[in-house]
Amino acid sequence: MTIKNICCIGAGYVGGPTMAVVAQKCPYITVTIVDINASRIAAWNNEDLSKLPVFEPGLDNIVDEARGRNLFFSTDVDKAIDEADMIFISVNTPTKTYGKGKGMAADLKYIELCARQIAKVSKSNKIVVEKSTLPVRTASAIKSILNHTGNGVQFQILSNPEFLAEGTAIDDLLNPDRILIGGDDSIEGQKAIQALVDIYANWVSKDKILTTNVWSSELSKLTANAFLAQRVSSINAISQLCEKSGADVNEVAKAIGMDSRIGSKFLKASVGFGGSCFQKDILNLVYIAKTYGLNEVADYWEQVIIMNDYQKQRFSDNIVSTLYNTVSGKKITFFGWAFKKDTNDTRESAAIKVADNLLSEQANISVYDPKVVEERIYADLDYLGTRSENENKALLTVHNNPYEASKESHAIAVLTEWDEFKTYDWQKIYDSMYKPAFIFDGRGILDIQTLEKIGFVCYKIGSGAKI
Ligand code: UDX
Ligand code: UDX
């Protein structure tokens, strides 16, 4: 079976870049990305490529090449479903905010709506691919909806989790470590798997394309994110020991990372991990374990989140205690708001929690981030509901220039590891600040020796050389 027409439901951080790469690599396939959010689709269709709704290095060039040729963005969901041989579901699956599993389980309401819409519209057989990260056994729920409400149309359900990381999405998509495809054991199921393998084989070598049963594929995605997040919480736990004992977490990370069994990646201590996936997927894993009565398994993974929350809390506590136990009325400048560099995404960013804690201590915060827009920053804070929108606006200001942002501040906190922070004129920044001028490097990216020579008083995450 050769796929000629693909529809992707959900034009977000996953659906957009993934399908842009599929379209670029498979010019013979028409790829239509649909979304219920009309302004998002309008942004994807914007002539000005700097206005795409997702910022990813290299994405603009790919969209430029494929858009209008075989890549289309639309709000006409029904038409795109009807015309497609293969439908990717890439809608969000947030943590439930109500009812059973509140605060833990994934909310599958959007997935179910998609399945029902596919069932209603389809007039020909289709392969439905889960791209969203889902709890184990979701595929069987989708299958049940499709088979019971459809009109005699045959559906095959595949699980094809996405492993791209934001900021490096295009490179990850072009050169993936592996592609994982889960499907049914039946002949029809195997044919569907093969159809998806053939798409990826346009640019990924076959030995990197793994095929498994559906549930292994679903669980592998949750497990991969849980293991990655666990590494960050592990090194962050050690960063605390380093600060107390006088060791340096970067030296420890290097020493252990050279053990080929441990490996060197994902050992960068930080103010805490963020992003749309890690916390959500671990909570999901914890919930699944609990529903199977595996309480020890649930507790084990939950600790990864507890450590992450603590890392954020202790960062803001340290700022308060270092600034003579009060930040009330003091200006603190945040360099970075995104959850990591090279993205405009702020979901679950550590900066949000750190800011919220400091605002509760009546600090004035000024923020500079190279890519995150002002409305996003206020929306992130307002969403927490800790104080009114007006209070957030009064206490926090957003700047588009780092030198303006840091003028007359008591302290600078580095929340995101943007490369440009390393090359600023730090003397100029120092001269414009109140003294003592403090720096709290929550990402361990600045050259502390140089900064101390200028006169800054420095704290670096995981460094025993404390203030
Ligand atoms: C999301 C999840 O975060 C991730 O776990 C999952 O693997 C894939 O989906 P992301 O692309 O980052 O990843 O989410 P988001 O940027 O929120 O995009 C989802 C899009 O789906 C939104 O643009 C939303 O408008 C759209 N959507 C949602 C629909 O088109 N229809 C719906 O019914 C629900
Ligand atoms: C993650 C997974 O890496 C990806 O495979 C999956 O598809 C989606 O979830 P993402 O959240 O985009 O990707 O970014 P990632 O690079 O994993 O970083 C997540 C968070 O961990 C960021 O806040 C990052 O700053 C932090 N992190 C990462 C550290 O603090 N230290 C590290 O060593 C690595």
Side-chain angles (χ1 to χ4, degrees):
M1 185 191 322
T2 308
I3 302 298
K4 288 272 170 38
N5 208 312
I6 287 178
C7 159
C8 172
I9 309 178
Y13 283 88
V14 172
T18 309
M19 290 300 127
V21 167
V22 170
Q24 189 211 25
K25 292 294 177 188
C26 312
Y28 64 95
I29 302 178
T30 299
V31 179
T32 307
I33 311 181
V34 292
D35 202 295
I36 49 173
N37 182 338
S39 65
R40 210 167 208 188
I41 290 298
W44 279 111
N45 282 320
N46 200 315
E47 283 293 304
D48 180 353
L49 291 165
S50 71
K51 300 268 164 37
L52 296 180
V54 171
F55 170 75
E56 277 294 338
L59 175 64
D60 47 357
N61 289 338
I62 292 180
V63 170
D64 195 28
E65 181 188 328
R67 195 174 60 183
R69 178 189 72 187
N70 65 325
L71 176 65
F72 303 93
F73 297 91
S74 164
T75 49
D76 194 342
V77 183
D78 284 359
K79 179 164 179 280
I81 291 174
D82 182 32
E83 291 173 354
D85 316 306
M86 184 177 268
I87 300 164
F88 287 81
I89 303 183
S90 192
V91 299
N92 38 334
T93 49
T95 304
K96 269 185 93 173
T97 52
Y98 56 90
K100 195 156 179 264
K102 179 179 170 186
M104 267 192 194
D107 192 341
L108 298 180
K109 134 178 112 183
Y110 301 129
I111 299 284
E112 180 168 342
L113 283 173
C114 285
R116 290 189 185 278
Q117 195 163 6
I118 294 169
K120 192 177 81 187
V121 172
S122 298
K123 297 195 277 291
S124 57
N125 295 349
K126 309 212 183 280
I127 299 169
V128 176
V129 186
E130 297 175 345
K131 213 29 158 168
S132 304
T133 306
L134 297 166
V136 186
R137 296 219 166 239
T138 305
S140 56
I142 297 180
K143 194 173 185 170
S144 160
I145 292 168
L146 290 174
N147 288 344
H148 286 92
T149 54
N151 35 10
V153 172
Q154 297 296 307
F155 295 100
Q156 281 301 321
I157 322 293
L158 301 179
S159 159
N160 173 220
E162 187 46 68
F163 295 102
L164 67 81
E166 288 176 33
T168 53
I170 299 303
D171 195 44
D172 295 343
L173 287 162
L174 293 174
N175 306 295
D177 284 349
R178 80 310 209 174
I179 296 289
L180 181 58
I181 302 173
D184 245 23
D185 233 6
S186 64
I187 294 175
E188 287 309 311
Q190 293 301 307
K191 276 192 197 157
I193 290 178
Q194 193 55 46
L196 189 51
V197 169
D198 290 344
I199 292 173
Y200 283 111
N202 282 296
W203 77 97
V204 181
S205 72
K206 287 221 164 132
D207 57 320
K208 287 191 171 172
I209 305 179
L210 302 181
T211 58
T212 63
N213 77 34
V214 186
W215 305 299
S216 298
S217 170
E218 289 175 336
L219 185 58
S220 298
K221 170 68 191 197
L222 293 181
T223 307
N225 276 346
F227 269 59
L228 289 169
Q230 182 198 42
R231 275 177 79 95
V232 178
S233 274
S234 296
I235 200 71
N236 281 345
I238 298 301
S239 77
Q240 300 175 30
L241 263 180
C242 288
E243 287 172 27
K244 293 282 182 211
S245 67
D248 182 309
V249 77
N250 288 331
E251 291 178 354
V252 174
K254 186 166 183 193
I256 64 166
M258 285 173 76
D259 185 324
S260 60
R261 295 168 302 176
I262 296 174
S264 61
K265 291 181 182 164
F266 261 73
L267 289 179
K268 187 89 191 94
S270 67
V271 56
F273 61 73
S276 71
C277 291
F278 281 0
Q279 172 152 323
K280 168 171 75 76
D281 290 353
I282 292 179
L283 288 174
N284 206 343
L285 200 62
V286 168
Y287 183 71
I288 294 169
K290 279 193 177 154
T291 52
Y292 286 122
L294 302 170
N295 293 327
E296 287 73 11
V297 177
D299 291 348
Y300 176 79
W301 287 108
E302 194 167 12
Q303 200 59 36
V304 174
I305 306 270
I306 292 170
M307 183 54 64
N308 196 49
D309 287 341
Y310 180 64
Q311 189 78 346
K312 292 182 261 186
Q313 182 68 47
R314 80 177 187 98
F315 187 77
S316 51
D317 286 351
N318 182 34
I319 293 179
V320 177
S321 63
T322 306
L323 267 61
Y324 315 107
N325 287 319
T326 177
V327 288
S328 177
K330 291 180 182 167
K331 178 171 165 184
I332 298 171
T333 301
F334 276 27
F335 280 174
W337 189 268
F339 82 96
K340 62 187 280 197
K341 72 173 180 178
D342 293 339
T343 179
N344 61 348
D345 194 350
T346 66
R347 288 176 289 182
E348 304 293 343
S349 179
I352 303 170
K353 184 66 186 148
V354 173
D356 192 49
N357 291 344
L358 292 173
L359 292 176
S360 293
E361 292 288 333
Q362 299 180 347
N364 293 318
I365 296 181
S366 80
V367 182
Y368 168 75
D369 186 288
K371 286 286 169 201
V372 180
V373 294
E374 183 170 337
E375 304 82 71
R376 184 71 257 151
I377 294 173
Y378 286 121
D380 288 338
L381 277 177
D382 294 342
Y383 181 77
L384 297 180
T386 313
R387 61 195 74 71
S388 73
E389 293 181 15
N390 284 340
E391 282 172 293
N392 282 330
K393 278 234 159 62
L395 290 171
L396 183 143
T397 52
V398 182
H399 296 263
N400 50 22
N401 175 312
Y403 299 98
E404 276 302 313
S406 48
K407 213 185 223 167
E408 295 180 347
S409 61
H410 288 83
I412 290 176
V414 176
L415 276 304
T416 313
E417 74 280 24
W418 288 100
D419 289 333
E420 64 174 68
F421 298 162
K422 297 179 208 165
T423 58
Y424 285 169
D425 182 344
W426 283 97
Q427 181 71 53
K428 182 174 164 185
I429 292 174
Y430 178 78
D431 291 342
S432 76
M433 287 175 65
Y434 282 109
K435 311 294 177 317
F438 293 97
I439 289 191
F440 297 88
D441 184 357
R443 294 290 187 161
I445 55 165
L446 299 178
D447 179 357
I448 296 299
Q449 269 183 337
T450 308
L451 294 173
E452 282 178 343
K453 247 188 229 146
I454 292 174
F456 282 105
V457 184
C458 301
Y459 159 86
K460 184 175 184 171
I461 201 107
S463 169
K466 293 200 304 290
I467 292 174

